[in-house]
């Protein structure tokens, strides 16, 4: 069986250079990498990254940290799509992906600590951004590089590299879409404002409503207890019967809302997941391209070992995907005005 030394000898480089080339290290030139890859194919060499990690005190694994929300993780397609992007890009560079999650903050911290101590993982991707996150504190204390999908919260040092959607602008665009379709009494439905993405989408909604001198109604509901949530939403609508439309913080929340409200209620959501397509009526949704977010996060994570690199934030454009969940009230308004004249 061929070894990395055999590959290096055939390619005319040192074993350490061959190892770096196979890992996609940017220090290695494209010409050298091609020689190493050619030698690897000729020798039918399969890299043993675990052995190389022990020998070189390196690690070819990216740790991916999911939020503490057992229910959301396994029901929200955003996380699976982002993981798909991370895995695809990591595989291209011969990196593996290890996932840390937990049903409590303590369990998640314990899993990350285990990855740091036993796995010797030295680069991570957080699939979320949250206020007062002890996971971020743990990574900083261990001086471990990490990338955030989302906008990082303020820290003692410089902000980490991140990739994000302009969620403030996306929140504005969702609200303006409803206004353009004649809606004036609009509410925003969210689950958790410690999550920066929801904060920003709500802030964008409020900005537009304030500019139009319209009320900014909002409702928090997590839908963990469906019966209780049904009662809560129903009571809110009884208090505000004038509401004709909702902006929901993601597709899953939009789908759950659909199960409670009249089909006449208009809804626009975020993420453009398969949930938005199977809803009835199908949800108009803002695509934030989670696979692309995952790919970009992996690209940033793979550059964390470059001490001179100043990794700039990446903002992925969003796009409204129009379906059938928003009623156009402008024609009704025009007809009403004609009748009044």
């Amino acid at each position: 069986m061929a070894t990395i030394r055999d590959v290096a000898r055939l390619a005319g480089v040192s074993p350490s250079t061959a190892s770096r080339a196979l890992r996609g290290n940017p220090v290695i030139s494209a010409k050298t990498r091609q020689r190493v890859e050619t030698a690897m194919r000729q020798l039918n060499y399969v890299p043993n990254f675990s052995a190389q990690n022990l020998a070189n005190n390196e690690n070819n694994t990216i740790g991916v940290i999911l939020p503490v929300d057992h229910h959301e993780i396994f029901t929200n397609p955003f996380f699976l799509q982002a993981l798909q992007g991370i895995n695809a890009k990591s595989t291209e560079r011969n990196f593996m992906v290890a996932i840390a999650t937990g049903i409590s903050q303590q369990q998640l911290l314990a899993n990350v600590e285990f990855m740091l101590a036993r796995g010797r993982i030295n680069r991570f991707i957080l699939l979320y951004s949250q206020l007062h996150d002890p996971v971020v504190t743990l990574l900083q204390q261990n001086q471990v590089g990490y990338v955030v999908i989302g906008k990082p919260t303020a820290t003692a040092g410089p902000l980490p590299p991140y990739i994000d959607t302009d969620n403030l602008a996306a929140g504005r665009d969702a609200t303006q879409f409803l206004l353009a379709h004649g809606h004036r009494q609009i509410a925003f439905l969210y689950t958790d404002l410690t999550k920066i993405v929801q904060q920003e989408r709500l802030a964008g909604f409020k900005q537009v409503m304030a500019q139009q001198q319209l009320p900014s109604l909002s409702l928090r509901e997590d839908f963990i207890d469906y019966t209780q949530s049904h009662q809560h939403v129903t009571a809110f609508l009884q208090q505000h019967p004038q509401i004709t439309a909702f902006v929901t913080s993601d597709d899953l929340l939009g789908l759950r809302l659909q199960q409670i409200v009249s089909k006449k209620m208009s809804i626009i959501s975020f993420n453009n997941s398969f949930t938005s397509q199977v809803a009835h009526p199908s949800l108009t949704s803002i695509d934030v391209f989670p696979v692309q977010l995952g790919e970009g996060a992996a690209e940033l994570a793979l550059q964390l070992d470059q001490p001179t690199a100043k990794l700039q934030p990446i903002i992925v454009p969003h796009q409204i995907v129009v379906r059938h969940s928003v009623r156009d009230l402008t024609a009704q308004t025009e007809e009403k005005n004609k009748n009044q004249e």
Side-chain angles (χ1 to χ4, degrees):
M1 183 179 294
T3 67
I4 189 67
R5 293 183 180 278
D6 297 325
V7 173
R9 189 179 302 111
L10 183 59
V13 298
S14 68
S16 60
T17 297
S19 177
R20 292 190 183 96
L22 293 180
R23 294 174 187 275
N25 192 309
V27 173
I28 307 301
S29 69
K31 185 177 180 180
T32 299
R33 186 179 299 114
Q34 185 176 8
R35 291 211 315 271
V36 171
E37 290 175 351
T38 299
M40 179 182 71
R41 287 192 294 270
Q42 290 177 357
L43 295 171
N44 294 319
Y45 172 73
V46 178
N48 185 341
F49 286 121
S50 296
Q52 291 179 40
N53 289 339
L54 291 172
N56 302 324
N57 196 29
E58 296 177 352
N59 196 295
N60 71 309
T61 304
I62 297 177
V64 178
I65 305 175
L66 292 164
V68 178
D69 193 334
H70 184 77
H71 180 74
E72 182 180 359
I73 290 169
F74 294 104
T75 56
N76 194 329
F78 173 86
F79 297 108
L80 294 177
Q81 291 179 284
L83 283 169
Q84 178 186 342
I86 292 170
N87 187 65
K89 193 59 62 173
S90 301
T91 301
E92 286 180 9
R93 298 279 293 276
N94 295 319
F95 270 71
M96 298 179 292
V97 173
I99 297 175
T101 186
I103 59 174
S104 68
Q105 193 71 70
Q106 293 73 20
Q107 190 179 92
L108 178 61
L109 283 169
N111 286 337
V112 176
E113 287 174 345
F114 183 86
M115 293 168 76
L116 288 168
R118 299 292 296 275
R120 294 184 295 111
I121 297 174
N122 55 17
R123 68 189 81 210
F124 286 84
I125 297 173
L126 273 72
L127 263 68
Y128 66 97
S129 178
Q130 187 167 320
L131 293 172
H132 315 300
D133 188 358
V135 171
V136 169
T137 302
L138 175 64
L139 295 177
Q140 292 176 337
Q141 288 173 345
N142 283 271
Q143 298 182 333
V144 175
Y146 66 97
V147 172
V148 178
I149 295 182
K151 183 174 290 184
T153 57
T155 60
L159 290 178
Y162 69 93
I163 181 168
D164 196 14
T165 304
D166 187 341
N167 286 294
L168 190 67
R172 290 196 297 262
D173 289 348
T175 311
Q176 288 167 345
F177 184 87
L178 291 174
L179 290 171
H181 285 73
H183 297 274
R184 294 296 178 268
Q185 301 298 324
I186 307 169
F188 190 98
L189 183 65
Y190 63 92
T191 62
D192 186 356
L193 290 184
T194 66
K195 296 177 179 178
I196 304 303
V197 61
Q198 296 193 36
Q199 273 191 20
E200 294 198 327
R201 289 171 181 174
L202 175 58
F205 163 77
K206 287 184 174 181
Q207 282 183 7
V208 173
M209 297 301 281
Q211 290 168 0
Q212 298 296 318
Q213 298 182 331
L214 294 170
S216 298
L217 299 171
S218 60
L219 175 66
R220 179 190 180 277
E221 188 51 63
D222 54 26
F223 286 90
I224 294 175
D225 183 326
Y226 182 79
T227 300
Q228 185 176 0
S229 297
H230 191 291
Q231 294 171 349
H232 192 195
V233 172
T234 301
F236 178 78
L237 290 173
Q238 288 173 347
Q239 293 171 4
H240 306 283
Q242 72 279 16
I243 293 174
T244 62
F246 275 89
V247 179
T248 63
S249 59
D250 64 40
D251 293 333
L252 190 59
L253 202 56
L255 178 62
R256 288 167 174 161
L257 180 64
Q258 269 190 343
Q259 297 169 352
I260 298 174
V261 300
S262 163
K263 288 187 178 181
K264 292 183 178 180
M265 182 69 69
S266 292
I267 300 173
I268 184 170
S269 58
F270 294 86
N271 295 348
N272 190 37
S273 64
F274 71 85
T275 303
S276 62
Q277 301 171 43
V278 301
H280 183 69
S282 56
L283 290 171
T284 291
S285 183
I286 295 186
D287 199 339
V288 298
F289 303 102
V291 174
Q292 189 174 339
L293 288 170
E295 290 174 343
E299 288 281 9
L300 290 172
L302 290 165
Q303 299 178 59
L304 286 173
D305 56 356
Q306 301 179 46
T308 59
K310 186 176 181 181
L311 303 178
Q312 298 298 319
I314 300 173
I315 303 299
V316 176
H318 59 273
Q319 177 183 339
I320 296 179
V321 179
V322 179
R323 294 194 178 91
H324 304 105
S325 62
V326 175
R327 297 171 62 213
D328 191 347
L329 302 184
T330 55
Q332 297 178 24
T333 303
E334 292 172 0
E335 184 65 28
K336 183 178 179 180
N337 292 337
K338 286 182 180 178
N339 294 336
Q340 289 176 347
E341 292 174 359

